[in-house]
Amino acid sequence: MTQHTVEHQHPLSARSSVPRGRLARTALTAGFVLSVIVVVTVPLYGAYAATGTSAGTLETLAKWAPLILLGFGLNLLMSFIAMGIGTVAGVGLGIAQVSQVSWVRRAAWAATEMFRNTPTLILLFMAMFLLPFELRFGDLVIALPPWLKAILGFSLSMMAYVSEIVRGGLQSIPTTQWEAAEALAFTRRDTLRLVIIPQCFKQMLPPWMNVYAIMIMSTPLASILGVHEGLTITRSAISAEGQPELLAPFYLFLLALFFVYSYPISLWTLRLERRYAIKH
Amino acid sequence: MTDASTLPIVRIVDVHKSFGLVPVLQGVSLDIARGEVACIIGPSGSGKSTLLRCINALVPIDQGSILIENEEINTPSLDKLTLRRKVGMVFQQYNLFPHRTALQNVMMAPIHVLKQDKAAVETRARALLKKVRLEGKEDSFPGELSGGQQQRVAIARSLAMNPKVMLFDEVTAALDPETVKEVLVTIRELAEEGMTCVLVTHEMGFAREVGNHVYFTDKGKIVEHGPPAEFFANASHPRTREFLNQIL
């Protein structure tokens, strides 16, 4: 029963008279302030709850914070690169999914479905164990450290999600637009580039950001493969200190880092979704 | 040798087309001379729009022959892009590109398809918009224009490619009675300038006034045709009579 009421009462429905721009800005600001409060207070509270006297724990946390931040930086870096690779490959795959050539279409569909329905962790293991530790092209040797392999794993998963977003976006444009461009002698490539993609770009943006937010959350999976990202370093720090009471504050600190990074993205996504939904 | 200018610009010979098991065109033949205004009328589902779409190869035909300026289009080696530069098409629902302004809609194809110089295209596009009486609307987006205005932008967009033949697919069917007139005036001017026009239309008055030849289609065949004065006065086939009685 309660769930039903929650579902039907969209937060916006009651306040639709407030101008959209201002409402979104207010929500964004409020959200950010909230997240800053969270990032400061949660570890403090954790530290307090764990020890009763917060000073010692806080000092330990402060000592390790730069290293954990550095690890979190690797999470960000992996997410950026995977997002870049995944987007470029995913756009190509998505366009291939609406190709006029049936084997291209089928192959693209199969690749998309395969990587989309495989747990990211399995893709990571595949990247880890199927790729060599270095690539040799004659004299050129390219080392493939674990973090680079992890990026490839994340990219595959991103690629498949982006491919679906692109396919859905392209197919949301009425066929009459294709027909009009065709009648004007546009090539298929120009039709996509000049007519179809510009029209669905806006509506693809929010789901694309959503997928990114999900991916940044899954980057700590790389710790299983021994990548020195945020989670790995946090764990090492805790075990190096050997104090079980550090567990809660340290993990909470890491959680807060992810939250502060992701929450504005999800707010921004929501804002874009709302803006484009009304326009379209 | 026959002089090219006396040959029909569009020659359709025994064209057949089915969508799956449904036959849509069952042996259609017609010739359209250069500068002629041909009007195709007939009940819904009689294959009028499909016939039009066959002429610019938006719909491939199953059997028969379509010659545009004496070039066969029912061949695997057809260069569709070359064909579509010659044959312009205007749609019932306008199908303007909603993310581009009226002027950009007109300019896109000449720039990207014909690779013409942008400045020259812009001058011509502005002149075309003026010709369809849309001066001052250059920077409006399609969503900001009325149906009749959008349809006139669509006509200008098609004309910008300098086509030899213009196809009009029920271009006034989605418009309210008042704006129908402004679009018809534009088409009439085109016809008077000598543009070859093929219209699928329900505007009998327009067909009678502006058309040179009227074709009545039913069940994928041309039942009867003739110059409008003759056609509307003396149509003899019972199916034609029945249709005209209902509509006039």
Side-chain angles (χ1 to χ4, degrees):
Chain A
M1 275 317 281
T2 348
Q3 254 190 338
H4 269 277
T5 353
V6 171
E7 258 176 28
H8 288 297
Q9 271 186 352
H10 192 273
L12 268 183
S13 59
R15 348 167 38 179
S16 54
S17 58
V18 183
R20 274 183 292 121
R22 191 156 41 119
L23 185 66
R25 258 199 305 280
T26 317
L28 203 64
T29 319
F32 195 73
V33 169
L34 183 73
S35 43
V36 169
I37 293 171
V38 167
V39 77
V40 175
T41 56
V42 162
L44 274 178
Y45 177 76
Y48 174 76
T51 60
T53 53
S54 61
T57 311
L58 261 190
E59 267 164 31
T60 320
L61 183 60
K63 190 176 79 185
W64 286 99
L67 208 57
I68 294 176
L69 268 169
L70 202 67
F72 180 68
L74 184 58
N75 288 72
L76 294 188
L77 184 71
M78 287 192 298
S79 77
F80 292 147
I81 302 177
M83 188 69 181
I85 298 174
T87 301
V88 171
V91 167
L93 200 60
I95 290 173
Q97 278 205 81
V98 298
S99 165
Q100 284 178 311
V101 186
S102 71
W103 70 264
V104 171
R105 200 169 53 234
R106 276 169 220 197
W109 172 82
T112 303
E113 289 306 311
M114 187 177 112
F115 292 120
R116 204 166 65 105
N117 295 298
T118 308
T120 310
L121 188 55
I122 294 180
L123 292 178
L124 284 180
F125 276 123
M126 275 170 57
M128 193 55 60
F129 300 120
L130 296 182
L131 290 172
F133 68 97
E134 58 180 30
L135 291 174
R136 283 176 183 278
F137 301 100
D139 287 342
L140 183 69
V141 177
I142 301 170
L144 289 178
W147 65 273
L148 209 58
K149 290 182 178 179
I151 285 175
L152 285 174
F154 290 126
S155 303
L156 284 178
S157 162
M158 272 310 287
M159 172 188 77
Y161 286 120
V162 171
S163 169
E164 268 307 274
I165 293 170
V166 169
R167 184 196 55 79
L170 295 178
Q171 287 182 344
S172 74
I173 303 299
T175 49
T176 50
Q177 288 287 308
W178 287 93
E179 214 176 31
E182 240 184 296
L184 286 166
F186 278 103
T187 57
R188 205 173 155 80
R189 192 168 161 265
D190 276 347
T191 305
L192 274 171
R193 189 171 65 91
L194 300 165
V195 178
I196 306 298
I197 293 175
Q199 288 187 60
C200 53
F201 182 76
K202 278 182 188 171
Q203 74 202 58
M204 293 191 298
L205 203 57
W208 179 78
M209 286 164 62
N210 244 331
V211 163
Y212 173 69
I214 292 169
M215 207 232 346
I216 179 79
M217 300 303 178
S218 60
T219 52
L221 287 174
S223 73
I224 297 174
L225 310 179
V227 176
H228 289 273
E229 48 68 68
L231 184 61
T232 312
I233 292 179
T234 307
R235 263 179 20 208
S236 314
I238 295 169
S239 63
E241 290 292 333
Q243 293 172 303
E245 65 269 25
L246 290 177
L247 221 76
F250 270 55
Y251 280 130
L252 283 169
F253 177 66
L254 186 64
L255 177 147
L257 287 179
F258 275 99
F259 181 81
V260 168
Y261 181 71
S262 305
Y263 190 56
I265 295 180
S266 92
L267 280 178
W268 190 23
T269 308
L270 211 68
R271 185 179 137 184
L272 287 179
E273 250 167 27
R274 227 175 286 144
R275 173 140 50 112
Y276 297 146
I278 290 167
K279 242 188 182 172
H280 218 76
Chain B
M1 279 304 288
T2 331
D3 181 13
S5 61
T6 62
L7 277 172
I9 190 165
V10 178
R11 164 162 274 179
I12 298 174
V13 186
D14 195 31
V15 164
H16 290 257
K17 171 73 192 175
S18 303
F19 290 122
L21 291 173
V22 186
V24 185
L25 299 176
Q26 312 187 63
V28 174
S29 299
L30 60 92
D31 279 352
I32 296 164
R34 211 170 281 271
E36 192 181 334
V37 178
C39 297
I40 304 172
I41 62 170
S44 307
S46 63
K48 307 179 301 274
S49 290
T50 306
L51 180 61
L52 219 52
R53 282 171 160 69
C54 290
I55 298 177
N56 67 349
L58 280 182
V59 171
I61 61 177
D62 298 337
Q63 188 190 323
S65 165
I66 297 180
L67 296 160
I68 307 289
E69 289 197 310
N70 221 19
E71 273 180 58
E72 176 61 55
I73 72 163
N74 187 20
T75 151
S77 64
L78 169 73
D79 180 0
K80 287 184 185 166
L81 301 186
T82 313
L83 168 71
R84 288 173 189 153
R85 285 174 204 176
K86 282 196 246 177
V87 184
M89 185 162 191
V90 184
F91 301 87
Q92 179 177 346
Q93 296 294 345
Y94 340 124
N95 301 356
L96 292 178
F97 305 133
H99 60 300
R100 298 289 187 106
T101 63
L103 185 67
Q104 288 169 340
N105 262 278
V106 179
M107 290 173 64
M108 270 168 84
I111 290 175
H112 296 286
V113 177
L114 304 177
K115 315 282 179 208
Q116 290 172 346
D117 171 63
K118 202 176 167 190
V121 171
E122 184 171 339
T123 314
R124 202 151 46 85
R126 286 185 186 279
L128 280 169
L129 284 175
K130 191 176 171 191
K131 180 186 160 95
V132 296
R133 298 187 186 76
L134 285 174
E135 215 175 358
K137 296 288 182 189
E138 290 86 354
D139 297 326
S140 303
F141 284 90
E144 300 163 352
L145 298 171
S146 73
Q149 290 171 331
Q150 289 190 57
Q151 195 57 291
R152 283 179 284 149
V153 174
I155 293 173
R157 178 175 72 171
S158 225
L159 289 175
M161 295 289 282
N162 280 326
K164 306 244 171 92
V165 181
M166 286 282 282
L167 310 175
F168 296 90
D169 186 14
E170 298 193 30
V171 292
T172 56
L175 301 174
D176 59 84
E178 276 181 42
T179 47
V180 164
K181 207 179 148 204
E182 60 192 38
V183 172
L184 291 183
V185 164
T186 306
I187 300 175
R188 179 204 297 257
E189 283 170 358
L190 269 180
E192 281 164 1
E193 286 166 21
M195 174 68 76
T196 310
C197 299
V198 188
L199 294 100
V200 165
T201 184
H202 291 299
E203 299 289 330
M204 296 303 146
F206 185 79
R208 193 198 305 255
E209 261 180 78
V210 184
N212 302 114
H213 212 92
V214 178
Y215 296 86
F216 174 71
T217 58
D218 188 33
K219 300 199 174 79
K221 286 183 177 143
I222 292 176
V223 176
E224 200 164 8
H225 66 94
E230 223 173 277
F231 178 87
F232 286 105
N234 309 321
S236 55
H237 195 282
R239 189 67 190 92
T240 321
R241 287 255 55 95
E242 190 192 335
F243 179 76
L244 290 178
N245 284 337
Q246 271 173 11
I247 211 162
L248 294 177

